[in-house]
Coordinates of all heavy atoms in Angstrom, one line a residue:
M128 N -15.4 -21.8 -2.8 CA -16.0 -20.8 -1.9 C -15.7 -19.4 -2.4 O -14.6 -19.1 -2.7 CB -15.4 -21.0 -0.5 CG -15.9 -20.0 0.5 SD -15.2 -20.3 2.2 CE -16.3 -19.4 3.1
L129 N -16.7 -18.6 -2.4 CA -16.6 -17.2 -2.9 C -15.9 -16.4 -1.8 O -16.3 -16.4 -0.6 CB -18.0 -16.6 -3.2 CG -18.0 -15.2 -3.8 CD1 -17.3 -15.2 -5.1 CD2 -19.4 -14.8 -4.0
R130 N -14.9 -15.6 -2.1 CA -14.2 -14.8 -1.1 C -14.6 -13.3 -1.3 O -14.7 -12.8 -2.5 CB -12.7 -14.9 -1.3 CG -12.2 -16.3 -1.1 CD -10.7 -16.4 -1.2 NE -10.1 -15.8 -0.1 CZ -8.8 -15.8 0.1 NH1 -8.0 -16.4 -0.8 NH2 -8.2 -15.2 1.1
T131 N -14.8 -12.6 -0.2 CA -15.1 -11.2 -0.3 C -13.9 -10.4 -0.5 O -12.9 -10.6 0.2 CB -15.8 -10.7 1.0 OG1 -16.9 -11.5 1.3 CG2 -16.2 -9.3 1.0
M132 N -13.9 -9.6 -1.5 CA -12.7 -8.8 -1.9 C -13.0 -7.3 -1.5 O -14.1 -6.9 -1.5 CB -12.5 -8.8 -3.4 CG -12.3 -10.2 -4.0 SD -10.8 -11.1 -3.4 CE -9.6 -10.5 -4.6
V133 N -11.9 -6.6 -1.1 CA -12.0 -5.2 -0.8 C -11.0 -4.4 -1.6 O -10.0 -4.9 -2.0 CB -11.8 -5.0 0.7 CG1 -12.8 -5.6 1.6 CG2 -10.4 -5.5 1.1
E134 N -11.4 -3.2 -1.9 CA -10.5 -2.3 -2.6 C -9.3 -1.9 -1.8 O -9.4 -1.3 -0.7 CB -11.3 -1.1 -3.1 CG -10.4 -0.1 -4.0 CD -11.2 1.1 -4.4 OE1 -12.4 1.0 -4.7 OE2 -10.6 2.2 -4.4
L135 N -8.1 -2.2 -2.4 CA -6.9 -1.8 -1.7 C -6.3 -0.5 -2.3 O -5.9 0.4 -1.6 CB -5.8 -2.9 -1.9 CG -4.5 -2.6 -1.2 CD1 -4.6 -2.7 0.3 CD2 -3.5 -3.7 -1.7
L136 N -6.3 -0.4 -3.7 CA -5.8 0.8 -4.4 C -6.7 1.1 -5.6 O -7.3 0.3 -6.1 CB -4.4 0.4 -4.9 CG -3.3 0.1 -4.0 CD1 -2.1 -0.4 -4.7 CD2 -2.9 1.3 -3.1
R137 N -6.6 2.4 -5.9 CA -7.3 2.9 -7.1 C -6.4 3.9 -7.8 O -6.0 4.8 -7.1 CB -8.7 3.5 -6.7 CG -9.5 4.1 -7.9 CD -10.7 4.8 -7.4 NE -11.6 3.9 -6.6 CZ -12.8 3.8 -6.8 NH1 -13.5 4.5 -7.7 NH2 -13.5 3.0 -6.1
S138 N -6.1 3.7 -9.0 CA -5.2 4.6 -9.7 C -5.3 4.5 -11.2 O -5.8 3.5 -11.7 CB -3.7 4.2 -9.3 OG -2.8 5.0 -10.0
N139 N -4.9 5.5 -11.9 CA -4.7 5.5 -13.3 C -3.3 5.2 -13.8 O -3.0 5.1 -14.9 CB -5.1 6.9 -13.9 CG -6.6 7.2 -13.8 OD1 -7.4 6.3 -13.9 ND2 -6.9 8.5 -13.6
D140 N -2.4 5.1 -12.8 CA -1.0 4.9 -13.1 C -0.8 3.3 -13.2 O -0.7 2.6 -12.2 CB -0.2 5.4 -11.9 CG 1.3 5.3 -12.2 OD1 1.8 4.5 -13.0 OD2 2.1 6.0 -11.5
L141 N -0.7 2.9 -14.5 CA -0.5 1.5 -14.8 C 0.8 0.9 -14.2 O 0.9 -0.3 -13.9 CB -0.7 1.2 -16.2 CG -2.0 1.6 -16.8 CD1 -2.1 1.3 -18.3 CD2 -3.2 0.9 -16.1
V142 N 1.8 1.7 -14.2 CA 3.1 1.3 -13.7 C 3.0 1.0 -12.2 O 3.5 0.0 -11.7 CB 4.2 2.3 -14.0 CG1 5.5 1.9 -13.4 CG2 4.4 2.4 -15.6
F143 N 2.4 1.9 -11.5 CA 2.2 1.8 -10.0 C 1.4 0.6 -9.7 O 1.7 -0.2 -8.8 CB 1.6 3.0 -9.4 CG 1.2 2.9 -8.0 CD1 2.1 2.8 -7.0 CD2 -0.2 2.9 -7.6 CE1 1.8 2.6 -5.7 CE2 -0.5 2.7 -6.3 CZ 0.5 2.6 -5.3
L144 N 0.3 0.4 -10.5 CA -0.6 -0.8 -10.2 C 0.1 -2.1 -10.5 O 0.0 -3.0 -9.8 CB -1.8 -0.7 -11.1 CG -2.8 0.4 -10.7 CD1 -3.9 0.6 -11.7 CD2 -3.4 0.1 -9.3
G145 N 0.9 -2.1 -11.6 CA 1.7 -3.3 -11.9 C 2.7 -3.6 -10.8 O 2.9 -4.8 -10.4
W146 N 3.4 -2.6 -10.3 CA 4.4 -2.7 -9.2 C 3.7 -3.2 -8.0 O 4.1 -4.2 -7.3 CB 5.0 -1.4 -8.9 CG 5.9 -1.4 -7.7 CD1 7.1 -1.8 -7.6 CD2 5.4 -0.9 -6.4 NE1 7.6 -1.6 -6.3 CE2 6.5 -1.1 -5.5 CE3 4.3 -0.4 -5.9 CZ2 6.5 -0.8 -4.2 CZ3 4.2 -0.1 -4.5 CH2 5.3 -0.3 -3.7
A147 N 2.5 -2.6 -7.6 CA 1.8 -3.1 -6.4 C 1.3 -4.5 -6.5 O 1.5 -5.3 -5.6 CB 0.6 -2.1 -6.2
E148 N 0.9 -4.9 -7.7 CA 0.4 -6.2 -7.9 C 1.6 -7.2 -7.8 O 1.4 -8.3 -7.2 CB -0.2 -6.3 -9.3 CG -1.0 -7.6 -9.5 CD -1.8 -7.6 -10.8 OE1 -1.8 -6.6 -11.5 OE2 -2.4 -8.7 -11.1
A149 N 2.7 -6.9 -8.3 CA 3.9 -7.7 -8.2 C 4.4 -7.8 -6.7 O 4.7 -8.9 -6.3 CB 5.0 -7.2 -9.0
V150 N 4.4 -6.7 -6.0 CA 4.8 -6.7 -4.6 C 3.8 -7.6 -3.8 O 4.2 -8.5 -2.9 CB 4.8 -5.3 -4.0 CG1 4.8 -5.3 -2.5 CG2 5.9 -4.5 -4.6
L151 N 2.5 -7.5 -4.0 CA 1.5 -8.3 -3.3 C 1.7 -9.8 -3.7 O 1.6 -10.7 -2.8 CB 0.1 -7.8 -3.6 CG -0.2 -6.4 -3.0 CD1 -1.5 -5.9 -3.6 CD2 -0.2 -6.5 -1.5
A152 N 1.9 -10.1 -5.0 CA 2.1 -11.5 -5.4 C 3.3 -12.1 -4.7 O 3.2 -13.3 -4.3 CB 2.2 -11.6 -6.9
E153 N 4.4 -11.3 -4.6 CA 5.6 -11.8 -4.0 C 5.3 -12.2 -2.5 O 5.9 -13.1 -1.9 CB 6.7 -10.7 -4.0 CG 7.9 -11.1 -3.3 CD 8.8 -12.1 -4.1 OE1 8.6 -12.2 -5.3 OE2 9.6 -12.7 -3.5
A154 N 4.4 -11.4 -1.9 CA 4.0 -11.7 -0.5 C 2.9 -12.8 -0.4 O 2.5 -13.1 0.7 CB 3.5 -10.4 0.2
G155 N 2.5 -13.4 -1.5 CA 1.5 -14.4 -1.5 C 0.1 -13.9 -1.3 O -0.8 -14.7 -0.9
I156 N -0.2 -12.7 -1.7 CA -1.5 -12.1 -1.5 C -2.2 -12.1 -2.8 O -1.7 -11.5 -3.8 CB -1.4 -10.7 -0.9 CG1 -0.8 -10.8 0.5 CG2 -2.8 -10.1 -0.8 CD1 -0.5 -9.4 1.1
E157 N -3.4 -12.7 -2.9 CA -4.2 -12.7 -4.1 C -4.6 -11.3 -4.5 O -5.0 -10.6 -3.6 CB -5.4 -13.6 -3.9 CG -6.3 -13.7 -5.0 CD -7.6 -14.5 -4.7 OE1 -7.7 -15.1 -3.5 OE2 -8.5 -14.6 -5.5
V158 N -4.6 -11.0 -5.8 CA -5.0 -9.7 -6.3 C -5.9 -9.9 -7.4 O -5.7 -10.7 -8.3 CB -3.7 -8.9 -6.7 CG1 -4.2 -7.6 -7.3 CG2 -2.8 -8.7 -5.6
L159 N -6.9 -9.0 -7.5 CA -7.9 -9.0 -8.6 C -7.9 -7.6 -9.1 O -8.1 -6.6 -8.3 CB -9.3 -9.4 -8.1 CG -10.4 -9.3 -9.1 CD1 -10.2 -10.2 -10.3 CD2 -11.7 -9.5 -8.5
R160 N -7.6 -7.4 -10.4 CA -7.6 -6.0 -10.9 C -8.9 -5.8 -11.6 O -9.3 -6.6 -12.5 CB -6.4 -5.9 -11.9 CG -6.1 -4.4 -12.2 CD -5.1 -4.3 -13.3 NE -3.7 -4.6 -12.9 CZ -2.6 -4.1 -13.5 NH1 -2.8 -3.2 -14.5 NH2 -1.4 -4.4 -13.1
L161 N -9.6 -4.7 -11.3 CA -10.9 -4.4 -11.9 C -10.8 -3.1 -12.7 O -9.9 -2.3 -12.5 CB -11.9 -4.2 -10.8 CG -12.3 -5.4 -9.9 CD1 -13.3 -5.0 -8.9 CD2 -12.7 -6.6 -10.7
D162 N -11.8 -3.0 -13.6 CA -11.9 -1.8 -14.5 C -10.9 -1.7 -15.6 O -10.8 -0.7 -16.2 CB -12.0 -0.5 -13.6 CG -13.0 -0.6 -12.6 OD1 -14.1 -1.1 -12.8 OD2 -12.7 -0.1 -11.5
E163 N -10.2 -2.8 -15.9 CA -9.3 -2.9 -17.0 C -9.9 -2.6 -18.3 O -9.4 -1.8 -19.1 CB -8.6 -4.2 -17.1 CG -7.7 -4.6 -15.9 CD -6.3 -4.2 -16.2 OE1 -6.0 -3.1 -16.5 OE2 -5.5 -5.1 -16.1
H164 N -11.1 -3.2 -18.5 CA -11.7 -3.1 -19.8 C -12.6 -1.8 -20.0 O -12.9 -1.4 -21.1 CB -12.6 -4.3 -20.1 CG -11.8 -5.5 -20.1 ND1 -10.8 -5.8 -21.1 CD2 -11.7 -6.6 -19.2 CE1 -10.2 -7.0 -20.8 NE2 -10.7 -7.4 -19.7
A165 N -12.8 -1.1 -18.9 CA -13.6 0.1 -18.9 C -12.7 1.2 -19.6 O -13.3 2.1 -20.2 CB -13.9 0.6 -17.5
S166 N -11.4 1.0 -19.6 CA -10.5 2.0 -20.2 C -10.7 2.0 -21.7 O -10.7 3.0 -22.4 CB -9.1 1.7 -19.9 OG -8.2 2.5 -20.6
A167 N -11.0 0.8 -22.3 CA -11.2 0.7 -23.7 C -12.5 1.4 -24.1 O -12.6 2.0 -25.2 CB -11.3 -0.8 -24.1
I168 N -13.5 1.4 -23.2 CA -14.7 2.0 -23.5 C -14.6 3.6 -23.5 O -15.2 4.3 -24.2 CB -15.8 1.6 -22.5 CG1 -16.1 0.1 -22.7 CG2 -17.1 2.4 -22.6 CD1 -17.0 -0.5 -21.6
D169 N -13.7 4.1 -22.6 CA -13.5 5.5 -22.5 C -12.5 6.0 -23.5 O -12.0 7.1 -23.4 CB -13.2 6.0 -21.1 CG -11.8 5.7 -20.6 OD1 -11.0 5.2 -21.4 OD2 -11.5 5.9 -19.4
G170 N -12.1 5.1 -24.4 CA -11.1 5.5 -25.4 C -9.6 5.5 -25.0 O -8.8 6.1 -25.6
S171 N -9.4 4.7 -23.9 CA -8.0 4.6 -23.3 C -7.4 5.9 -22.9 O -6.2 6.1 -23.0 CB -7.1 3.8 -24.3 OG -7.6 2.5 -24.5
I172 N -8.2 6.9 -22.5 CA -7.7 8.1 -22.0 C -7.4 8.2 -20.5 O -6.9 9.1 -20.0 CB -8.6 9.3 -22.4 CG1 -10.0 9.1 -21.7 CG2 -8.8 9.5 -23.9 CD1 -10.9 10.3 -21.8
G173 N -7.7 7.1 -19.8 CA -7.4 7.0 -18.4 C -8.4 7.7 -17.5 O -8.0 8.0 -16.4
A174 N -9.6 7.9 -18.0 CA -10.6 8.6 -17.2 C -11.1 7.7 -16.1 O -11.6 8.3 -15.0 CB -11.7 9.1 -18.1
I175 N -11.1 6.4 -16.2 CA -11.6 5.5 -15.2 C -10.5 4.8 -14.5 O -9.7 4.0 -15.2 CB -12.6 4.5 -15.9 CG1 -13.7 5.2 -16.5 CG2 -13.0 3.5 -14.8 CD1 -14.6 4.3 -17.3
P176 N -10.2 5.1 -13.3 CA -9.1 4.5 -12.5 C -9.4 3.0 -12.4 O -10.5 2.5 -12.3 CB -9.2 5.1 -11.2 CG -10.1 6.3 -11.2 CD -11.0 6.1 -12.4
R177 N -8.3 2.2 -12.4 CA -8.4 0.8 -12.2 C -8.3 0.5 -10.7 O -7.6 1.3 -10.0 CB -7.2 0.1 -12.9 CG -7.5 0.0 -14.4 CD -6.4 0.6 -15.1 NE -6.5 0.4 -16.6 CZ -6.5 1.4 -17.4 NH1 -6.4 2.6 -17.0 NH2 -6.6 1.2 -18.7
R178 N -8.8 -0.6 -10.3 CA -8.8 -0.9 -8.8 C -8.1 -2.2 -8.6 O -8.3 -3.2 -9.4 CB -10.2 -1.0 -8.3 CG -11.0 0.3 -8.3 CD -12.4 0.2 -7.9 NE -13.2 -0.5 -9.0 CZ -14.3 -1.2 -8.8 NH1 -14.8 -1.2 -7.6 NH2 -14.9 -1.8 -9.8
L179 N -7.3 -2.3 -7.5 CA -6.7 -3.5 -7.1 C -7.5 -4.0 -5.9 O -7.7 -3.2 -4.9 CB -5.3 -3.4 -6.7 CG -4.2 -3.3 -7.8 CD1 -2.8 -3.3 -7.2 CD2 -4.4 -4.3 -8.8
M180 N -8.0 -5.2 -5.9 CA -8.8 -5.8 -4.9 C -8.0 -6.9 -4.3 O -7.3 -7.6 -4.9 CB -10.1 -6.3 -5.4 CG -10.9 -5.3 -6.3 SD -11.5 -3.9 -5.5 CE -13.0 -4.7 -4.7
V181 N -8.2 -7.1 -2.9 CA -7.6 -8.2 -2.2 C -8.6 -8.8 -1.3 O -9.6 -8.2 -1.0 CB -6.4 -7.7 -1.3 CG1 -5.3 -7.1 -2.2 CG2 -6.8 -6.7 -0.3
P182 N -8.4 -10.1 -1.0 CA -9.4 -10.7 -0.1 C -9.5 -9.9 1.2 O -8.5 -9.4 1.8 CB -8.8 -12.1 0.2 CG -7.9 -12.4 -1.0 CD -7.4 -11.0 -1.4
H183 N -10.7 -9.9 1.8 CA -11.0 -9.1 3.0 C -10.1 -9.5 4.1 O -9.5 -8.6 4.8 CB -12.5 -9.4 3.4 CG -12.9 -8.6 4.6 ND1 -12.8 -9.1 5.8 CD2 -13.4 -7.3 4.7 CE1 -13.2 -8.2 6.7 NE2 -13.6 -7.1 6.0
G184 N -9.8 -10.7 4.3 CA -8.9 -11.2 5.4 C -7.5 -10.8 5.2 O -6.7 -10.8 6.2
D185 N -7.1 -10.4 4.0 CA -5.7 -10.1 3.7 C -5.5 -8.5 3.6 O -4.4 -8.1 3.4 CB -5.2 -10.7 2.4 CG -5.0 -12.2 2.5 OD1 -4.8 -12.7 3.6 OD2 -5.1 -12.8 1.4
E186 N -6.5 -7.8 3.8 CA -6.4 -6.3 3.6 C -5.3 -5.7 4.5 O -4.5 -4.9 4.0 CB -7.8 -5.6 3.9 CG -7.7 -4.1 3.7 CD -9.0 -3.4 4.0 OE1 -9.9 -4.0 4.5 OE2 -9.1 -2.2 3.6
G187 N -5.4 -5.9 5.8 CA -4.4 -5.3 6.7 C -2.9 -5.7 6.3 O -2.1 -4.8 6.3
R188 N -2.7 -7.0 6.0 CA -1.4 -7.4 5.6 C -1.0 -6.8 4.3 O 0.2 -6.3 4.1 CB -1.3 -8.9 5.6 CG 0.1 -9.5 5.3 CD 0.1 -11.0 5.6 NE -0.6 -11.8 4.6 CZ 0.0 -12.3 3.6 NH1 1.2 -12.2 3.4 NH2 -0.8 -13.0 2.8
A189 N -1.9 -6.7 3.4 CA -1.6 -6.1 2.1 C -1.3 -4.6 2.2 O -0.3 -4.2 1.6 CB -2.9 -6.2 1.1
R190 N -2.0 -3.9 3.0 CA -1.6 -2.5 3.2 C -0.2 -2.3 3.9 O 0.5 -1.4 3.5 CB -2.7 -1.8 4.1 CG -4.0 -1.6 3.4 CD -5.0 -0.7 4.1 NE -6.3 -0.8 3.5 CZ -6.6 -0.1 2.3 NH1 -5.7 0.6 1.7 NH2 -7.8 -0.2 1.8
A191 N 0.1 -3.2 4.8 CA 1.4 -3.2 5.4 C 2.5 -3.5 4.4 O 3.6 -2.9 4.4 CB 1.4 -4.1 6.6
V192 N 2.3 -4.5 3.6 CA 3.3 -4.9 2.6 C 3.5 -3.7 1.6 O 4.7 -3.4 1.3 CB 2.8 -6.1 1.8 CG1 3.5 -6.4 0.5 CG2 2.8 -7.4 2.7
I193 N 2.5 -3.1 1.1 CA 2.6 -1.9 0.2 C 3.3 -0.8 0.9 O 4.2 -0.2 0.4 CB 1.2 -1.5 -0.3 CG1 0.7 -2.5 -1.2 CG2 1.4 -0.1 -1.0 CD1 1.4 -2.8 -2.5
A194 N 3.0 -0.5 2.2 CA 3.6 0.6 2.9 C 5.1 0.3 3.1 O 5.9 1.2 2.9 CB 2.9 0.8 4.3
R195 N 5.5 -0.9 3.5 CA 6.9 -1.2 3.6 C 7.7 -1.1 2.3 O 8.8 -0.6 2.3 CB 7.1 -2.7 4.2 CG 6.9 -2.7 5.7 CD 7.4 -4.1 6.3 NE 6.8 -5.2 5.6 CZ 5.6 -5.8 6.0 NH1 4.9 -5.3 7.0 NH2 5.2 -6.9 5.3
A196 N 7.0 -1.6 1.2 CA 7.7 -1.5 -0.1 C 7.9 -0.1 -0.5 O 8.9 0.3 -1.1 CB 6.9 -2.3 -1.1
Q197 N 6.9 0.8 -0.3 CA 7.0 2.2 -0.6 C 8.1 2.9 0.2 O 8.8 3.7 -0.3 CB 5.6 2.9 -0.5 CG 4.6 2.6 -1.5 CD 3.3 3.2 -1.3 OE1 2.8 3.2 -0.2 NE2 2.7 3.7 -2.4
A198 N 8.1 2.5 1.5 CA 9.2 3.1 2.4 C 10.6 2.7 1.9 O 11.5 3.5 1.9 CB 8.9 2.7 3.8
A199 N 10.7 1.4 1.5 CA 12.0 1.0 1.0 C 12.4 1.7 -0.3 O 13.6 2.1 -0.5 CB 11.9 -0.5 0.7
L200 N 11.4 2.0 -1.2 CA 11.7 2.7 -2.4 C 12.1 4.2 -2.1 O 13.0 4.7 -2.8 CB 10.5 2.8 -3.3 CG 10.2 1.5 -4.1 CD1 8.9 1.6 -4.9 CD2 11.4 1.1 -5.0
S201 N 11.5 4.8 -1.1 CA 11.8 6.2 -0.8 C 13.0 6.3 0.1 O 13.4 7.4 0.5 CB 10.6 6.8 -0.2 OG 10.3 6.3 1.1
G202 N 13.6 5.2 0.6 CA 14.8 5.3 1.4 C 14.4 5.4 2.9 O 15.3 5.7 3.7
D203 N 13.1 5.3 3.3 CA 12.7 5.4 4.6 C 12.7 4.1 5.4 O 12.4 4.1 6.6 CB 11.3 6.0 4.7 CG 11.2 7.4 4.2 OD1 12.2 8.1 4.2 OD2 10.1 7.8 3.8
G204 N 13.1 3.1 4.8 CA 13.1 1.8 5.5 C 13.6 0.7 4.6 O 13.8 0.9 3.4
A205 N 13.7 -0.5 5.1 CA 14.2 -1.6 4.3 C 13.2 -2.7 4.4 O 12.4 -2.9 5.2 CB 15.6 -2.1 4.8

């Protein structure tokens, strides 16, 4: 069955995207990274942001997971 995916994040920061993908995977949320190969076309200068997509039904939970993880990193929560 084809699942509808929605954009969760868009960034040129590969470290942030990798972190977010790992946090979501730990929470059991499927992630699809788009626009990876577009960077090769633009000469790898980072002009085209990459997107992290999640299933439509997991969007709210994914946003909450990322927000909690960011708060924990900044010392605003655990």
Side-chain angles (χ1 to χ4, degrees):
M128 176 178 199
L129 185 63
R130 297 180 74 177
T131 303
M132 305 290 274
V133 295
E134 183 179 320
L135 181 69
L136 299 169
R137 182 185 299 230
S138 179
N139 289 329
D140 185 339
L141 298 180
V142 173
F143 172 68
L144 290 171
W146 170 83
E148 192 169 358
V150 166
L151 293 168
E153 178 75 20
I156 299 173
E157 178 185 358
V158 176
L159 175 64
R160 198 186 286 206
L161 297 181
D162 305 320
E163 292 266 57
H164 301 291
S166 175
I168 294 170
D169 76 5
S171 297
I172 61 172
I175 300 173
R177 284 122 174 126
R178 295 175 288 159
L179 282 188
M180 311 292 283
V181 297
H183 183 268
D185 290 336
E186 181 183 9
R188 188 165 68 96
R190 291 191 187 284
V192 165
I193 292 294
R195 279 194 306 272
Q197 286 177 316
L200 282 176
S201 68
D203 293 337

